[in-house]
Amino acid sequence: FADSQFGHLFASGDNREQARRNMVLALKELSIRGDISTTVDYISKLIELNDFVDNNIDTSWLDGIIKDNIDGIAEAAPKGSVLRRSTSVAIKSLDDHTYAALGATILAFDRCSSGEEAFLESLGRGQLPPQNLISMVQNVELILNETKYKLVCTRLGPHKFAVAVVGDKEKFVSTNIRVLSDGGYLIDAEGKSHVAYVTSKGDSASGMRMSVGGVSVAFSPDYDPTSLRTDVAGKLVKKLVPDGAHLKKGEPYAEIEVMKMFMPLKVEETGILTWCNNEGATLAPGDLLATLELDNPENVSAA
């Protein structure tokens, strides 16, 4: 059994405005960690819109915002709608380069820490561990908003790293990272502190996700249309095409059941399909369903 709704958050106050302010604080302090996407950021922006603050809303208010779909929050409403003003709330988000540096620092630190533990365990068993377990240099690739960052992280101390672009180590960002008691990371980057939580370490179907200062950051996996995978847990209900079928871009090849709903899966490029899983199979995020031999692999561009 699964349900997309897993909790409620209530706020109270002497009046509506006080209750709203308490809810804003509660949402900003709320931390949900794990491989799960939530509406926390979206709701926190909604309730700070001027029309919501002034209680100038009706049952069509949210529909109008969703219809405009400007970064999830409508900046301008259609003429005649209730929403007449844009938000005056300043959303504190960082630039993509900073998010990439923070993500790379976390990955490099975790790799170094895991390598040290494995190195000491080998010594404890009387074995000679490989030197690469205590490597001071970690290469990290991250994709954010269709931009691939190829970074090299050099460990300068127990908690200190220099993050540079591959091929240009002369220009780097100095970071200092420490693990918090609740599993988060306190990272100092060029004199500015950031608190980050890894909500998903990522796999072959999805990239790493993290929350930085209440802002959700989702890195993308490498674009590989030859591997047909699912990014959600479910069940392979039906194969829509036989093994060896030739499919055109956008054609469905399978149906999966997710939370009592049936979803079609479509190929992203044109090619010949080869099945790797059977009908009725239970699927986990990242599981390989089939492979696709592309007709024109030279036309596929990566980030």
Side-chain angles (χ1 to χ4, degrees), residues 150-154 162-173:
K150 294 184 177 181
L151 305 172
V152 56
C153 301
T154 305
V163 183
V165 176
V166 172
D168 189 9
K169 294 184 179 181
E170 297 299 322
K171 299 179 181 179
F172 60 88
V173 174

Side-chain angles (χ1 to χ4, degrees), residues 57-290:
I57 57 177
D58 61 13
T59 54
S60 64
W61 178 73
L62 183 57
D63 290 337
I65 291 177
I66 295 174
K67 182 179 180 181
D68 288 338
N69 193 29
I70 304 175
D71 294 331
I73 297 293
E75 295 182 353
K79 186 176 181 181
S81 67
V82 174
L83 181 63
R84 292 186 294 273
R85 296 179 296 257
S86 63
T87 177
S88 60
V89 179
I91 305 302
K92 296 181 179 179
S93 59
L94 306 174
D95 60 82
D96 289 352
H97 299 340
T98 302
Y99 286 134
L102 297 178
T105 300
I106 293 173
L107 289 175
F109 177 76
D110 286 349
R111 290 178 188 175
C112 290
S113 298
S114 298
E116 286 180 353
E117 291 178 5
F119 189 89
L120 293 175
E121 287 178 3
S122 295
L123 288 178
R125 294 193 297 265
Q127 300 174 346
L128 182 62
Q131 292 296 311
N132 61 359
L133 289 177
I134 52 174
S135 173
M136 295 294 103
V137 178
Q138 302 289 337
N139 291 308
V140 177
E141 290 190 3
L142 292 169
I143 301 175
L144 184 59
N145 294 329
E146 300 184 356
T147 299
K148 176 178 281 190
Y149 294 87
K150 294 184 177 181
L151 305 172
V152 56
C153 301
T154 305
R155 195 176 191 182
L156 305 178
H159 305 280
K160 190 174 182 180
F161 288 85
V163 183
V165 176
V166 172
D168 189 9
K169 294 184 179 181
E170 297 299 322
K171 299 179 181 179
F172 60 88
V173 174
S174 296
T175 60
N176 199 300
I177 181 172
R178 292 186 180 275
V179 179
L180 301 175
S181 59
D182 61 356
Y185 299 88
L186 177 62
I187 307 174
D188 178 272
E190 296 297 321
K192 294 184 179 180
S193 296
H194 310 278
V195 176
Y197 294 93
V198 175
T199 55
S200 174
K201 292 185 178 180
D203 49 38
S204 54
S206 61
M208 182 179 76
R209 299 176 187 171
M210 64 181 187
S211 175
V212 182
V215 177
S216 297
V217 181
F219 295 100
S220 305
D222 275 326
Y223 179 60
D224 181 13
T226 63
S227 298
L228 304 181
R229 303 177 183 271
T230 173
D231 58 355
V232 295
K235 181 180 179 180
L236 178 56
V237 177
K238 186 178 181 180
K239 297 179 179 178
L240 299 181
V241 296
D243 200 54
H246 185 271
L247 297 173
K248 294 183 179 180
K249 181 177 181 178
E251 283 191 300
Y253 66 92
E255 282 186 355
I256 62 173
E257 181 184 359
V258 180
M259 294 175 59
K260 302 179 182 179
M261 296 185 298
F262 291 91
M263 297 172 50
L265 299 180
K266 302 178 181 180
V267 295
E268 297 180 328
E269 301 292 342
T270 300
I272 299 175
L273 180 142
T274 302
W275 284 105
C276 301
N277 230 317
N278 297 317
E279 289 184 353
T282 300
L283 304 173
D287 280 357
L288 181 67
L289 278 70

